[in-house]
Amino acid sequence: NAYIVLGLDDEIDQMKEEHITCIKGKITSNVECLELGIENLLISRNYERIADQITNLAESLIYIYKGEDLRHKKLAQKESDAE
């Protein structure tokens, strides 16, 4: 279900942030892990970007099948949250 995918986007973003925090801690405590840590940061960023692309696809599918444009709703929600 495309709506389920939309709900997972924030969860993936949170997981990425937790992963980055963990990697920074490992690098800080053990400089020998620097190269591996950087590789993991790049992998984490790429996974999150893939999740963003999947979310965009789900939004497009919902628009195609239901005519509901969720992109503007997300933008309006972010703007109201910022106020």
Side-chain angles (χ1 to χ4, degrees):
N1 187 323
Y3 289 100
I4 293 172
V5 171
L6 297 179
L8 295 175
D9 186 50
D10 291 335
E11 186 176 332
I12 297 295
D13 291 343
Q14 180 63 34
M15 288 172 62
K16 182 191 106 179
E17 292 304 319
E18 291 172 2
H19 191 234
I20 288 172
T21 301
C22 178
I23 292 169
K24 285 180 181 178
K26 300 256 186 218
I27 291 171
T28 303
S29 65
N30 186 357
V31 179
E32 294 173 359
C33 294
L34 181 62
E35 185 176 344
L36 184 58
I38 290 171
E39 289 177 14
N40 275 286
L41 287 172
L42 295 172
I43 290 169
S44 180
R45 185 185 71 180
N46 289 330
Y47 277 146
E48 194 270 334
R49 188 65 195 128
I50 291 169
D52 287 343
Q53 294 294 332
I54 292 169
T55 298
N56 292 342
L57 179 60
E59 290 171 344
S60 295
L61 289 172
I62 290 168
Y63 180 73
I64 289 168
Y65 287 102
K66 297 204 172 204
E68 185 179 356
D69 190 354
L70 300 176
R71 295 171 301 161
H72 299 296
K73 288 182 181 181
K74 286 174 84 175
L75 179 60
Q77 179 65 34
K78 287 181 182 180
E79 288 174 353
S80 68
D81 289 347
E83 293 175 354

